[in-house]
Amino acid sequence: MDSDCDHAGHQRVQYAPLGNASAVLPDGRVIVMGGEYNWLGNIYSNRDPVWTSLGAIYDPVANTWTPVSPPAGAGWTGTDGVGGGIGDAQSTVLADGTFLLAACCGSPDVDALFDATNLTWTGTGAPNAGDLYQDEQGYTLLPTGTY
């Protein structure tokens, strides 16, 4: 039996985040990025934080998941919470419908905007928190359209 399948022949989940960034996009799809933990299908299998930079987008009409790569550049792909990583990052959907994502553990801070049509990212020149990473913060869209 294929090692990537369970005993019933179903493909195993390789991304099962907890403490992640997520949002419903204006077109109804759901984006999920990062995760302080990646349970890999069993919530009891790994209790150690991994600050994953994996991601996916769910299309409820097609009932499909599509992998989403993390933004390119420094601060996005660390897996230990020290060298960066999305992990339990903050996010919000801006007034124009764009998904804004931060890396929890990038130092200096990094943010990126997601193009949901092309599944690509553009860096923003993140807010500067004094060269400290943005772990376990929250972004809230204010009535003025800022965050």
Side-chain angles (χ1 to χ4, degrees):
M1 185 170 296
D2 187 334
S3 64
D4 287 333
C5 295
D6 66 15
H7 66 278
H10 300 111
Q11 187 174 10
R12 285 192 181 126
V13 173
Q14 298 300 310
Y15 178 49
L18 178 67
N20 52 276
S22 62
V24 177
L25 301 174
D27 64 5
R29 293 182 295 165
V30 176
I31 186 165
V32 179
M33 293 299 299
E36 183 171 351
Y37 301 90
N38 187 11
W39 295 118
L40 299 175
N42 180 347
I43 64 170
Y44 303 106
S45 67
N46 181 3
R47 294 176 186 235
D48 295 326
V50 296
W51 294 280
T52 184
S53 289
L54 297 172
I57 193 164
Y58 176 68
D59 183 336
V61 175
N63 192 28
T64 57
W65 286 94
T66 303
V68 175
S69 297
W76 290 105
T77 57
T79 57
D80 58 4
V82 175
I86 296 171
D88 55 344
Q90 60 278 17
S91 63
T92 193
V93 176
L94 301 177
D96 67 0
T98 303
F99 179 68
L100 170 68
L101 175 69
C104 81
C105 307
S107 182
D109 311 331
V110 288
D111 285 350
L113 301 172
F114 183 66
D115 179 335
T117 302
N118 299 312
L119 305 183
T120 57
W121 298 94
T122 303
T124 66
N128 188 334
D131 203 30
L132 300 172
Y133 59 81
Q134 306 176 82
D135 192 22
E136 299 187 7
Q137 294 182 28
Y139 280 172
T140 301
L141 188 65
L142 301 174
T144 61
T146 60
Y147 63 96

